[in-house]
Amino acid sequence: MNQKRLQWFFDLAKAQARRSDVKYFHHGAVLARKSKIIETGFNHYVSNHDSCYIEYSALHAERDVIEKALKRGCALRGATIYVVRVNKRGQLRNSKPCQECAKLILEHGIRRVFYSISETDALKQEIVSLEDVPRVCKDKY
């Protein structure tokens, strides 16, 4: 994948991260196949209603983008996901998917994961690719 296209997907993921209402870190995600966007998403609070109280938890950007794509009936096998984490000052931080999101990515056949690592690293090192998500996830599960 060329660097311009990769940067374009990351810029779109950063724009999604700005939509987040989570207090400290804002995550954005883009799901794509080749150069076509399948869906976009971001982390946000969701409420879990119980008869006695309302509990709020954060829905991860990866889960948000995957669930939205599935609701629209999109095929995810072979797709690529781009994930960005931005702090309150707008700096990139490590956004490697957590174990639950990695498992979800694996279950839906998403082939490649690109994620931000740090603002202080060089641009060419800012974007890390897990070329073989299934192998990485199988080691953990």
Side-chain angles (χ1 to χ4, degrees):
M1 173 176 289
N2 73 35
Q3 192 67 24
K4 278 187 178 183
R5 187 178 307 168
L6 195 56
Q7 189 61 51
W8 184 79
F9 281 119
F10 266 82
D11 289 343
L12 184 56
K14 285 182 205 174
Q16 289 299 304
R18 288 186 205 105
R19 298 179 63 194
S20 173
D21 60 359
V22 176
K23 188 172 183 178
Y24 296 105
F25 285 101
H26 308 286
H27 290 255
V30 176
L31 198 52
R33 182 173 291 104
K34 296 185 181 176
S35 61
K36 295 184 180 182
I37 297 168
I38 296 171
E39 189 60 80
T40 61
F42 55 94
N43 65 326
H44 55 91
Y45 290 115
V46 293
S47 61
N48 302 316
H49 294 278
D50 194 328
S51 58
C52 298
Y53 65 94
I54 299 174
E55 177 183 33
Y56 291 94
S57 59
L59 182 67
H60 290 196
E62 300 92 330
R63 180 172 290 280
D64 183 48
V65 73
I66 290 170
E67 286 180 358
K68 288 194 306 191
L70 290 173
K71 281 181 187 175
R72 289 192 11 231
C74 298
L76 304 183
R77 188 156 305 285
T80 300
I81 190 168
Y82 304 84
V83 186
V84 170
R85 178 179 175 188
V86 181
N87 68 11
K88 291 194 313 188
R89 292 182 290 246
Q91 299 167 316
L92 288 178
R93 292 295 179 243
N94 184 4
S95 64
K96 183 175 179 177
C98 70
Q99 286 187 354
E100 288 301 312
C101 289
K103 183 178 176 184
L104 187 66
I105 289 166
L106 171 64
E107 287 171 355
H108 291 287
I110 296 168
R111 259 187 351 155
R112 297 174 77 196
V113 178
F114 288 91
Y115 59 92
S116 60
I117 54 173
S118 171
E119 191 74 45
T120 58
D121 291 320
L123 180 61
K124 66 179 181 175
Q125 296 173 347
E126 175 180 303
I127 300 163
V128 177
S129 170
L130 293 177
E131 292 293 332
D132 191 2
V133 174
R135 191 191 81 233
V136 170
C137 292
K138 285 178 184 173
D139 291 345
K140 295 180 181 179
Y141 299 105

